[in-house]
């Protein structure tokens, strides 16, 4: 089964990050990962965040590239679980 991974909201409601730029993918397409493994780095105007894998699986497709801007709720990748 494949699942779409969306960019989650980062931070508290009042200070939540609304989006950012994909700085670096930390998992290659075709690579297995465990829940909580570092998936990618996101840079905002305030900070850099490392997004964890939401569950165990294999990264099968990146929907965004390094340097792309993304917003909360955007699909960033597909994981085979």
């Amino acid at each position: 089964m494949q699942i779409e991974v969306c960019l989650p909201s980062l931070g508290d409601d009042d200070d939540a990050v609304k989006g950012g730029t994909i700085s670096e993918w930390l998992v290659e397409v075709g690579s297995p990962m465990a829940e909580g493994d570092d998936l990618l780095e996101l840079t905002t105007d305030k900070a850099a965040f490392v997004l964890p894998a939401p569950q165990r699986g294999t990264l099968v497709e990146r929907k965004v590239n390094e340097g792309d801007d993304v917003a909360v709720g955007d699909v960033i990748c597909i994981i085979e679980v």
Side-chain angles (χ1 to χ4, degrees), residues 5 8 11 20 22-23 25 27 30 32 41-42 55-58 63 65 75 79-80:
V5 178
I22 304 296
S23 302
W25 278 97
V27 176
E41 185 175 293
L42 179 79
Q55 66 186 81
R56 193 178 125 234
T58 301
K63 293 290 193 177
N65 297 308
V75 176
I79 295 176
E80 179 78 35

Side-chain angles (χ1 to χ4, degrees), residues 60-80:
V60 294
E61 183 180 354
R62 295 176 180 168
K63 293 290 193 177
V64 293
N65 297 308
E66 291 177 358
D68 287 352
D69 292 329
V70 292
V72 169
D74 286 353
V75 176
I76 56 175
C77 66
I78 306 292
I79 295 176
E80 179 78 35

Side-chain angles (χ1 to χ4, degrees), residues 30-46:
S31 296
M33 60 192 153
E35 182 176 348
D37 282 356
D38 294 343
L39 182 60
L40 61 83
E41 185 175 293
L42 179 79
T43 304
T44 70
D45 57 343
K46 296 181 181 181

